[in-house]
Amino acid sequence: MINIENFLAEKNIDYEYDVSAEKLSTYKGGGIVKLVISPNDHNINESLAIVRDFPHYFLGNGSNTLIDDYGFDGVVVCTKNLNTIVRDNNEFTVGAGTLIPYLNAYLERLNLSGLERLSGIPASLGGACVMNAGAYGIEICEFIKEITCYDLATQRELTIGAKDIAFSYRSSGDSFKNAFIKSVKLTGFTQGYDASLSRALREKRRNSQPNKPSLGSVFKSTTLPAGYLIDKCGLKGTRAKCAQISPTHANFIVNNGGGSASDYLTLLAIARDTVKRRFGITLTPEIKILTNRKEIWEFTTQ
Ligand SMILES: Cc1cc2nc3c(=O)[nH]c(=O)nc-3n(C[C@H](O)[C@H](O)[C@H](O)COP(=O)(O)OP(=O)(O)OC[C@H]3O[C@@H](n4cnc5c(N)ncnc54)[C@H](O)[C@@H]3O)c2cc1C
C-alpha cells in the first residue's frame, strides 16, 4: 500500500496528525482524529483517489459533526482550502469549503439578494448541501443549479443537476453517500440585498439560541418542532457532566467547558427516550457522528 506521508509531501497537500475534536467540531469536545488532510483545487482528485483505501470522512466546518471520544482512526478530508468563487453573470461556482456567512457577505457586496435567511448558519457550502441546510423558510437547495463531485467508487468527477439530487428536509438522500462535493454552482440571486432582514434574523438567532459551543439542532423536527417536545418533557437545563440541554433552546446540547461526546450522547438518549415515552414520537438525530465504533452508529439510529 502507498506510503501516505510521502504522497502528501510530494503532492504538497496540507496535513496534520492527531488532531483534537476541539479544532474540528463546533461542539469543541470529543476525541482525536488520526490524520486530517486539507487538499486544494490542484490536488483534491489525487487526494481522494488515495483516501478511498482508508476509513475516511469528509468534513466541512464541523458544525453538525460529533467526534467520538475514542476518536477516529482514519483520514478526515477537510474542505477548508477549497474556497474559490468564480462568477459568470448571475451564476457562481463556489468551492465546497466556502463558509455560508462569507458567501452571504460576498453577495451583499454585490448587492445580490438570496442568502440573507441562511446567513447565520455556521456551515461550509459542501456541508450545507449534504444537509440541505435551511432557516426561516428557505433551504440551500433553492439556489443550487448543479454540484460537481468526485465519486470515490468510480474515481470519476461528475456534475449532478439539482433536479437529480434527492433533496428533502435536512437531507440530500444518498446522493453524496460515497462522493465528495468539490464545488457548487449557485444561481437565482436577485438585485437588492436585504441588509435589514439579514440583521434582524441574526439578532433573532442570538436571542433564541445559546451562545455556547454546540452542533445546532440535535434532532430533526417532526410534525412538531423537536425543541418544543423536549421542552414539554421538562428537560431544558438537564446536565450530563459538562454538557447540558440548553436552557435557551431545548433542541441544542451545549458544551459548558470540558464536555465530551459521551456527555452529549447521554443527553441525546435522555431526550429521545423521554419524548418517545411521553408522546410516542421517535426523534431522528440531525447530527452526524464520526466514529470507528459500530455500536455508536447503531445507538443513534435506534
Ligand atoms: C450554532 C449553530 C446553528 C445552526 N443553525 C442551523 C440552521 O439554522 N439550519 C440548519 O440547517 N443547520 C443549522 N446548523 C447545523 C449545521 O450548521 C448544518 O447542518 C450545516 O449544513 C453543516 O455544515 P458543515 O460544513 O459544518 O458540515 P459538517 O459538520 O462538516 O458535515 C456535515 C455532513 O456533511 C458531510 N460533508 C461535509 N462536506 C462535504 C463535502 N464537501 N462532500 C461530501 N460530504 C460532505 C459530512 O461528511 C457530514 O456528513 C447549526 C449549527 C450550529 C452549531
Side-chain angles (χ1 to χ4, degrees):
M1 189 181 281
I2 187 156
N3 177 317
I4 197 159
E5 213 162 312
N6 288 350
F7 171 82
L8 294 168
E10 197 181 297
K11 301 291 174 191
N12 211 11
I13 298 166
D14 281 3
Y15 70 95
E16 200 179 345
Y17 275 105
D18 298 329
V19 187
S20 148
E22 274 188 44
K23 283 175 75 175
L24 302 173
S25 160
T26 57
Y27 173 65
K28 300 201 174 302
I32 304 287
V33 169
K34 183 83 195 148
L35 174 62
V36 178
I37 68 171
S38 305
N40 58 34
D41 291 324
H42 306 293
N43 50 35
I44 179 66
N45 284 10
E46 288 167 300
S47 306
L48 293 167
I50 293 298
V51 152
R52 73 179 208 143
D53 295 332
F54 300 87
H56 57 266
Y57 184 84
F58 304 142
L59 187 78
N61 199 36
S63 66
N64 211 33
T65 299
L66 183 70
I67 302 175
D68 185 13
D69 292 330
Y70 287 82
F72 180 65
D73 202 14
V75 186
V76 162
V77 183
C78 174
T79 59
K80 70 176 183 188
N81 291 333
L82 299 171
N83 46 25
T84 51
I85 303 181
V86 177
R87 181 179 187 183
D88 181 7
N89 294 314
N90 197 23
E91 292 185 349
F92 298 83
T93 303
V94 183
T98 308
L99 297 179
I100 295 289
Y102 177 89
L103 188 55
N104 173 64
Y106 171 87
L107 292 170
E108 180 175 8
R109 284 196 297 278
L110 297 175
N111 194 27
L112 288 175
S113 176
L115 290 195
E116 292 92 336
R117 289 166 195 271
L118 306 183
S119 63
I121 303 179
S124 69
L125 180 59
C129 291
V130 171
M131 301 305 301
N132 191 19
Y136 305 114
I138 65 164
E139 296 174 320
I140 191 70
C141 67
E142 292 168 45
F143 302 95
I144 297 172
K145 181 173 184 191
E146 58 192 31
I147 293 184
T148 298
C149 52
Y150 182 93
D151 184 276
L152 269 76
T154 59
Q155 298 201 51
R156 286 184 37 193
E157 194 168 300
L158 61 145
T159 296
I160 315 174
K163 66 174 182 350
D164 295 320
I165 301 170
F167 285 121
S168 61
Y169 167 65
R170 299 297 173 270
S171 173
S172 52
D174 284 343
S175 302
F176 307 108
K177 212 175 167 84
N178 203 26
F180 177 90
I181 297 178
K182 294 175 65 177
S183 65
V184 184
K185 192 173 275 187
L186 297 170
T187 190
F189 304 114
T190 53
Q191 276 301 312
Y193 182 84
D194 192 341
S196 61
L197 175 68
S198 174
R199 237 189 339 268
L201 292 178
R202 284 207 299 269
E203 178 69 17
K204 189 171 172 185
R205 208 176 256 279
R206 269 193 295 277
N207 293 333
S208 60
Q209 295 180 359
N211 62 359
K212 291 184 173 169
S214 78
L215 298 173
S217 296
V218 182
F219 298 102
K220 295 185 186 191
S221 280
T222 59
T223 41
L224 289 167
Y228 170 83
L229 295 169
I230 299 167
D231 190 11
K232 280 285 163 205
C233 292
L235 292 174
K236 261 187 179 171
T238 305
R239 290 171 193 262
K241 297 188 186 149
C242 299
Q244 186 178 27
I245 296 181
S246 167
T248 317
H249 190 313
N251 200 22
F252 278 57
I253 292 174
V254 295
N255 186 344
N256 284 331
S260 64
S262 46
D263 298 344
Y264 189 103
L265 292 172
T266 300
L267 293 171
L268 181 150
I270 290 172
R272 183 191 57 195
D273 297 348
T274 313
V275 167
K276 179 76 183 169
R277 262 197 318 276
R278 169 100 187 260
F279 296 103
I281 294 174
T282 305
L283 293 178
T284 309
E286 184 173 317
I287 60 147
K288 306 285 182 190
I289 302 187
L290 174 54
T291 178
N292 290 122
R293 297 189 296 154
K294 191 163 168 274
E295 64 272 26
I296 294 288
W297 286 112
E298 285 165 354
F299 170 80
T300 51
T301 49
Q302 264 167 29

